[in-house]
Amino acid sequence: METSTHRKRYEDLKQQINFHNHRYHVMDAPVISDAEYDQLVVELRQVETAHPDWVMPDSPSQRAGAEPSEKFEKVRHPRPILSLANAFGEEDAHAWYERVCKLDDRLEKARFVVEPKIDGLSVVLHYRDGIFVQGATRGDGELGEDITANLRTVQTIPLKIPLNMGMDKQRSDKLPVLEPKSHPNVRMVPDVLVVRGEIFIPVKEFDKLNKRLEENGEKTYLNPRNTAAGSLRQLDPAMTASRPLTLLVYQIVLWENKTQFPREPRSQWQLLEYLRDLGFPVTDTARRFDDIESAIAYTAGWDNRRDELPYEADGMVIKIDDLNLADELGFVGKDPRGAIAFKFPAREVTTKLLGIEVEVGRTGVLTPKAILEPVEINGVIVRNATLHNFDYIAEKDIRPGDRVLVKRAGEVIPYVIGPVVDLRSGAEKQYVPPHTCPACGQPVEHFEGEVAWYCVNAACPAQLVRNVEHFVSRAAMDINGLGIKIVEKLIEAGMVKDIADIYTLSREDILGALTKKDRKTESAPPGKIAENLLAAINTSRRQPLNRLITALGIHGVGEVSAADLSRHFPSLDLLAAASADQLQSVDGVGPNIAEAILDWFSRERNRKVLEKLKTAGVWPKGAAVASPSVGPLSGLTFVVTGTLSGFSRDKVKEFIEGHGGRVTDSVSRNTSYLVSGDAPGSKLQKAQSLGVKVIGESELRKLCA
Ligand code: IVH
């Protein structure tokens, strides 16, 4: 690139970063994600390293944050409120350590404290003689905004420190008064203490808040960070008080004391302990390490455990424990050399919502799907995301053409959090759900009390595709090679009108349905593909009854109920003839499932399918393979909740059933054990309230040992 192009890009970067700083810090309404912002800053720094002579005071690298907004009094901070340099990964963190080692050889023996980097709003709290007198935002690091009135409403901010001693004094005159300056166990307070911490909304509280807003038909918030910032930086303290804000502190900005004691803590570890003793909320996730390797290893280990933290954390902070040493290292721009922010890979990014596609499920449910401008989130290119349902789109007012915030975290399917309303051009139209099924054109229906819209046309080709997909799946008839593309073609050509037609397919039918791509990419020649498929179809005729019941796709009848049903009703004739009472005598079959089974067998179309299956010789009898294996878990019933580290959902089921146990979906008094993993759902509470034993993965293995 030519220098002039470089220069242009540099000016552009400065302008962009200044703009986004303003959106984030002054307006509390960012229009790009933190990750995208960080990327711009990384690029700016690269240019500035290559051309140090270009750096002027207007560069965003020369200050932290942005100017305070006009509505609050400005406050000059007693010391600059610094920012942190970022490390993206272990290599970066090691590079930081190498750099500081070169500056001071004491680093080789230094200890480190690792703390979570809370994604909230940085505040500066002033205490005079132990009384909270002023609280400010960080602003640009020099000048902040006086938000004392709002901060007073935050319950976890101590209005008087030390907290315990004050309480002892108030409680009773008869209690011995603890004199701070004479009592060794009570921490003392300097004349002036200015601390810094992070105000945030815990994730659970945020979810509750949004749920309440949703129930009242009000607009919900996008994420905890912006909500926390918005709640503090508005002029009505009553509004702040109504928000579930809380605090964690991590730094002493100023310490002034006329007497020798107490002494200012000179290690980060002691500092945290001291502030905790005074009554400040301090993280209990901080750890101290004797060397950088273990500090980095601990830090990196939090990346996939971040959801265990009760708040949103965008990384961990690695700090040199010795505060004198850290101070002596000085800073680069506004970033102290004595600490580094180890950022977790981003999970939220913004991208354009190109359109909303509607898919039809097996039961006819219409599901909206976001078509996105492809975007990378934590190493994966995301093109589609779920929009949950039509109510969600309406409630968040998500419009095609919007820039949207998309989240991809862990195993969860990427989803659209909401639109960045401020980036609308004005041309975006509110989304109207379809009135007709996008696959068959028939009118769609909505049932009282349900969120979903349905296509109720039993002959809808899209439903048929999903039905066939389910019928041939591994847990059902297990017909290998009948992929979705072939199924679609067969349905389109009229060869498959229902699931039973699979058994009358000829070699020619299959050859005709192979796409050009199948012919090219498959290793076998087309004739061989057709033969293999026919053989798989043929083998499936001998599948046991429980699998065929699963394959029918009756609402609420999964593998477990299908196996139970096949034991009670050893043929489809008997199952079809069963009454509601007889059905409900089967373990795990309640009135709803019984109703669904009756409904399924009463439909003319389904009866025809059954006839066709019978004629095709797909009519297994007897409990056959469905009888449970005998083992150490025989007679025990299990329910699983949360994520297990050593098992997928299917595998844990296989494991339990393989050892003779049963797995059911919901906890009842008959449940022997609840196997609980990470992030357990409401089943855990239910088990606890019913007194059902709760065990972990290792205890489950022990039961089988
Ligand atoms: S230390 C000189 N510790 O992250 C001290 N910062 O990206 C610099 N933050 O502006 C800050 N948790 O608002 C520190 N445990 C923690 C933190 C933390 C969150 C925020 C803070 C800072 C930003 C830097």
Side-chain angles (χ1 to χ4, degrees):
M1 226 193 286
E2 238 182 84
T3 312
S4 67
T5 335
H6 263 308
R7 184 80 208 207
K8 227 171 135 234
R9 175 68 186 152
Y10 177 59
E11 294 302 327
D12 180 44
L13 280 170
K14 282 205 291 192
Q15 207 177 353
Q16 280 197 45
I17 295 171
N18 279 330
F19 168 77
H20 292 303
N21 260 340
H22 183 80
R23 297 280 328 184
Y24 188 90
H25 292 285
V26 179
M27 298 175 67
D28 296 326
V31 290
I32 58 171
S33 67
D34 292 0
E36 289 157 286
Y37 176 83
D38 288 345
Q39 194 47 50
L40 292 175
V41 174
V42 165
E43 200 186 330
L44 181 92
R45 289 204 189 275
Q46 278 166 357
V47 182
E48 291 190 342
T49 316
H51 303 277
D53 51 315
W54 290 358
V55 185
M56 292 290 147
D58 73 330
S59 167
S61 67
Q62 301 305 296
R63 62 173 188 175
E67 310 109 55
S69 96
E70 291 305 320
K71 48 189 184 177
F72 292 103
E73 290 289 318
K74 288 183 184 131
V75 191
R76 183 163 291 280
H77 297 305
R79 296 258 166 83
I81 301 302
L82 300 177
S83 180
L84 283 175
N86 288 333
F88 300 97
E90 297 185 38
E91 236 175 77
D92 269 10
H94 279 291
W96 162 73
Y97 176 67
E98 298 298 325
R99 278 199 306 277
V100 282
C101 268
K102 282 196 193 121
L103 296 174
D104 197 317
D105 46 21
R106 282 178 291 170
L107 254 302
E108 269 153 36
K109 290 207 193 79
R111 292 206 276 195
F112 300 88
V113 172
V114 178
E115 298 165 21
K117 179 164 155 26
I118 304 143
D119 199 8
L121 189 81
S122 202
V123 290
V124 180
L125 311 170
H126 291 239
Y127 289 81
R128 276 186 192 281
D129 299 321
I131 306 292
F132 174 59
V133 289
Q134 187 186 67
T137 63
R138 168 164 153 228
D140 64 1
E142 307 284 336
L143 291 180
E145 292 165 329
D146 185 342
I147 52 165
T148 313
N150 287 347
L151 285 173
R152 274 188 205 291
T153 71
V154 176
Q155 300 292 339
T156 41
I157 295 186
L159 298 179
K160 187 173 187 298
I161 47 171
L163 208 58
N164 291 339
M165 191 197 66
M167 271 177 50
D168 286 345
K169 270 188 174 167
Q170 274 166 23
R171 227 185 287 148
S172 156
D173 291 340
K174 287 181 201 93
L175 277 175
V177 173
L178 300 172
E179 277 305 330
K181 305 224 161 147
S182 60
H183 196 288
N185 290 327
V186 172
R187 297 290 182 154
M188 299 176 283
V189 200
D191 304 335
V192 177
L193 177 70
V194 180
V195 297
R196 174 180 179 185
E198 205 79 359
I199 296 272
F200 60 95
I201 297 181
V203 177
K204 272 208 180 111
E205 295 299 327
F206 177 75
D207 291 343
K208 267 198 241 163
L209 174 67
N210 258 356
K211 210 166 189 174
R212 233 179 19 239
L213 290 171
E214 195 187 312
E215 278 164 14
N216 295 340
E218 290 174 56
K219 213 170 156 359
T220 51
Y221 290 110
L222 274 191
N223 64 32
R225 196 261 157 208
N226 293 355
T227 314
S231 312
L232 279 179
R233 299 187 57 251
Q234 53 78 45
L235 292 160
D236 176 14
M239 144 74 177
T240 316
S242 74
R243 295 287 174 245
L245 298 165
T246 186
L247 167 81
L248 284 174
V249 296
Y250 49 76
Q251 194 194 357
I252 292 179
V253 175
L254 183 70
W255 176 284
E256 277 178 11
N257 207 27
K258 282 194 240 22
T259 54
Q260 196 190 356
F261 293 104
R263 272 196 219 282
E264 184 178 358
R266 292 321 289 153
S267 98
Q268 179 66 13
W269 192 248
Q270 280 168 10
L271 178 147
L272 293 177
E273 199 172 83
Y274 173 76
L275 292 179
R276 189 182 289 120
D277 282 356
L278 288 186
F280 285 103
V282 173
T283 173
D284 51 16
T285 307
R287 295 278 180 282
R288 181 158 66 168
F289 297 94
D290 287 336
D291 56 80
I292 189 71
E293 279 74 28
S294 19
I296 293 179
Y298 175 73
T299 304
W302 269 100
D303 178 9
N304 49 21
R305 293 176 57 202
R306 60 203 272 195
D307 287 329
E308 289 172 27
L309 295 169
Y311 39 78
E312 296 259 7
D314 55 344
M316 301 293 274
V317 189
I318 306 178
K319 300 178 176 180
I320 295 173
D321 187 36
D322 180 340
L323 294 174
N324 290 330
L325 174 53
D327 285 350
E328 281 169 35
L329 288 171
F331 35 88
V332 188
K334 294 277 170 158
D335 304 332
R337 288 202 179 87
I340 188 101
F342 185 105
K343 297 281 279 230
F344 295 145
R347 305 196 296 187
E348 287 178 23
V349 300
T350 62
T351 188
K352 191 171 173 174
L353 176 64
L354 300 174
I356 296 177
E357 215 174 78
V358 178
E359 285 181 340
V360 187
R362 185 157 59 84
T363 53
V365 178
L366 303 194
T367 322
K369 183 169 100 179
I371 311 298
L372 305 169
E373 202 165 79
V375 63
E376 192 207 303
I377 315 182
N378 197 358
V380 170
I381 305 286
V382 176
R383 294 186 164 79
N384 306 126
T386 171
L387 286 158
H388 306 300
N389 53 55
F390 296 111
D391 279 11
Y392 184 80
I393 300 178
E395 179 217 309
K396 301 271 177 188
D397 188 16
I398 298 167
R399 304 178 181 194
D402 267 341
R403 245 195 124 71
V404 288
L405 197 57
V406 180
K407 183 161 183 169
R408 176 183 164 266
E411 297 307 304
V412 185
I413 301 167
Y415 67 96
V416 175
I417 302 181
V420 185
V421 176
D422 292 351
L423 283 184
R424 282 196 178 141
S425 67
E428 301 80 3
K429 297 263 171 325
Q430 226 165 31
Y431 176 73
V432 184
H435 299 298
T436 54
C437 169
C440 70
Q442 295 287 310
V444 294
E445 283 185 25
H446 193 57
F447 299 107
E448 187 70 33
E450 276 193 48
V451 175
W453 284 84
Y454 289 87
C455 165
V456 290
N457 171 19
C460 170
Q463 284 180 55
L464 184 54
V465 173
R466 301 279 162 239
N467 263 314
V468 175
E469 212 182 359
H470 173 74
F471 187 84
V472 304
S473 66
R474 277 243 319 266
M477 299 304 269
D478 195 17
I479 305 179
N480 201 1
L482 202 49
I484 181 128
K485 287 275 171 279
I486 301 183
V487 171
E488 276 172 356
K489 280 252 178 166
L490 288 169
I491 291 174
E492 223 173 86
M495 301 297 173
V496 170
K497 294 198 181 69
D498 58 46
I499 47 176
D501 286 341
I502 292 172
Y503 293 98
T504 52
L505 286 175
S506 68
R507 190 171 185 270
E508 283 63 42
D509 295 339
I510 296 172
L511 282 176
L514 291 180
T515 58
K516 274 201 196 116
K517 205 165 152 236
D518 288 327
R519 292 163 183 270
K520 266 202 214 133
T521 51
E522 291 281 343
S523 44
K528 187 78 190 147
I529 299 175
E531 263 164 45
N532 289 347
L533 188 47
L534 281 176
I537 293 173
N538 217 7
T539 312
S540 78
R541 288 175 209 264
R542 291 190 297 277
Q543 290 289 19
L545 180 59
N546 58 314
R547 280 180 171 268
L548 180 57
I549 298 176
T550 307
L552 296 179
I554 304 169
H555 197 73
V557 180
E559 288 166 72
V560 177
S561 329
D564 289 337
L565 286 166
S566 72
R567 277 191 286 275
H568 275 73
F569 307 100
S571 77
L572 279 185
D573 294 305
L574 292 170
L575 181 60
S579 69
D581 283 346
Q582 286 169 330
L583 289 169
Q584 284 190 58
S585 69
V586 177
D587 234 7
V589 176
N592 291 343
I593 297 184
E595 172 72 40
I597 297 172
L598 288 175
D599 180 71
W600 197 93
F601 282 103
S602 72
R603 288 177 188 262
E604 183 56 30
R605 218 184 130 75
N606 293 339
R607 288 193 164 270
K608 275 207 185 118
V609 170
L610 290 176
E611 276 312 308
K612 281 166 82 175
L613 283 173
K614 201 175 204 173
T615 315
V618 190
W619 208 251
K621 287 210 182 73
V625 203
S627 60
S629 49
V630 178
L633 305 184
S634 292
L636 299 176
T637 307
F638 292 79
V639 175
V640 184
T641 183
T643 316
L644 306 176
S645 58
F647 289 114
S648 69
R649 264 304 155 88
D650 286 349
K651 287 280 177 263
V652 72
K653 210 161 151 203
E654 248 171 51
F655 179 84
I656 294 172
E657 289 176 349
H659 287 89
R662 269 170 47 84
V663 181
T664 62
D665 288 336
S666 55
V667 178
S668 75
R669 281 182 206 288
N670 297 332
T671 308
S672 321
Y673 291 99
L674 177 75
V675 184
S676 177
D678 273 354
S682 58
K683 287 176 188 167
L684 180 59
Q685 274 158 16
K686 178 132 191 230
Q688 283 161 345
S689 70
L690 292 176
V692 169
K693 268 195 219 131
V694 179
I695 57 171
E697 217 169 316
S698 55
E699 286 156 296
L700 172 65
R701 289 185 200 273
K702 266 188 218 141
L703 286 178
C704 303

